[in-house]
Structure formats: C-alpha cells, structure tokens
C-alpha cells in the first residue's frame, strides 16, 4: 500500500501539504470503512463524511469510489521517480532506489495497521485485488523507467530505451531491479510484522537491501 509518509507530506508548499493530507484522510477513511463493512457496502458519501469533507471534494482526488481503496497515494510513484533521478551520482542504482523507498516508508511502523487493513480489503474483493495488482505493476514499471533514465544519464549502454526488445539494450536490468526492490519491501514488511519486538522496520529494510547489495550470499551454517 502506498501510504504517504510524514516526510513526504512535509514537502512542498502549504497548499500541497493540505491536498496530501486531505487525500490521505479520504484514503484512510475508505480503507477503514471497507475493512469494517465490506467495500461493496461503502459509499462515497460515507467516505466523505468520515474524512470530514464534501462529496465534491472526494471527486477532486479520486475518479471513482474504488480508486479510494486502491490508488491511495497517487503521488508516491512520482516522488520515488524524482528521488531516484536526483540521488547523488556516486550511489549505485540499488542504493538510489533503496533511499527513495526508505523515504516513502519512513512511517511504516505507525502505518502498519492501515497497511494490514488495506490488504484485507483487497483480498476480500477480487476486482479490487486485480486493480491493486495492476497499480503495483504500473508503479514498478515507472520505477524501472527511472532507473533506466539514471543509467542513460550515466552513459550506460545497457540501460535500454523504453520499449526496446531483447538484447543487450533491452532494459532488462532496470526492470529486474525494480521488481527485486519491490519484493525486498514486501519481504521486509512480512518479516518485521512477525518479529516486531526484535528490530525496527527500517532496520529490517536496510538489512534486506544490504543482502541484495552483497549478492545474496548464503548465511553461515
């Protein structure tokens, strides 16, 4: 679930911060109501009332009711793409992606309950789950494009151009890195959820990326 971090919300001017806060309030209201009553029984009117805004305001942020359950933070992908592209040149693509994701996940521990409810809502509704998978794949493709652009700026001939076919310039590395990073985030969250008393979420997250950077060596026997 792409929930807005406090760090992300702190950026931009007052108007942008208010917009992000309103969108976050609507998304949270939608998820909590759907988790309690079932998504099919939740109306736009109920979501708007729970968030303390008008129905008209709801449609300023979401095109449909279902979008509030799935597209929680439409700006998260753009923020991560920008962070990947603006990361220091001496960072590896993996490190740049790690830092971009860490900024979005800075408040993961506080948002854990909402993430859990969001997963519950999606898995209870096949059409929402399908839309969620589609949104995840689109976000992953956007990250791959950002990684490829970063590599092209660095003069890497293997970065590939968008849409190129198989071969040395196919963009295979950016797509693989984006997919692996997404799996790393899910693994970090799953492990931390089961061992919350042992370490902070970001510590687990960074440990997972350290293992990736080392080439996933087998642990000692």
């Amino acid at each position: 679930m792409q929930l807005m971090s406090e760090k992300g919300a702190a950026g931009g001017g007052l108007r942008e911060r208010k917009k992000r806060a309103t969108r976050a309030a609507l998304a949270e209201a939608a998820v909590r109501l759907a988790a309690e009553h079932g998504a099919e029984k939740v109306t736009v009117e109920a979501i708007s009332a729970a968030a303390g805004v008008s129905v008209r305001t709801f449609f300023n942020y979401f095109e449909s009711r279902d979008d509030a359950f799935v597209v929680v933070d439409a700006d998260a992908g753009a923020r991560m793409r920008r962070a990947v592209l603006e990361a220091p040149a001496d960072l590896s693509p993996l490190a740049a992606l790690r830092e971009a994701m860490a900024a979005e996940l800075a408040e993961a521990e506080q948002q854990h309950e909402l993430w859990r409810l969001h997963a519950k809502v999606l898995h209870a509704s096949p059409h929402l789950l399908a839309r969620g998978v589609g949104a995840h794949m689109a976000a992953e493709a956007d990250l791959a494009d950002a990684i490829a652009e970063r590599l092209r700026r660095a003069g890497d001939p293997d970065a590939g151009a968008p849409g190129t076919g198989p071969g040395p310039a196919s963009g295979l590395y950016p797509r693989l890195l984006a997919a692996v990073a997404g799996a790393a985030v899910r693994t970090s969250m799953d492990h931390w959820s089961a061992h919350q008393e042992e370490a902070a979420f970001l510590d687990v997250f960074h440990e997972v990326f350290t293992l990736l950077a080392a080439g996933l060596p087998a642990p000692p026997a």
Side-chain angles (χ1 to χ4, degrees), residues 207 211 216-221:
E207 181 180 355
L211 291 171
L216 289 179

Side-chain angles (χ1 to χ4, degrees), residues 140-154:
E140 190 175 285
D142 285 344
L143 275 181
D145 286 345
I147 295 164
E149 176 62 24
R150 182 179 175 87
L151 291 171
R152 283 193 291 273
R153 291 181 182 181

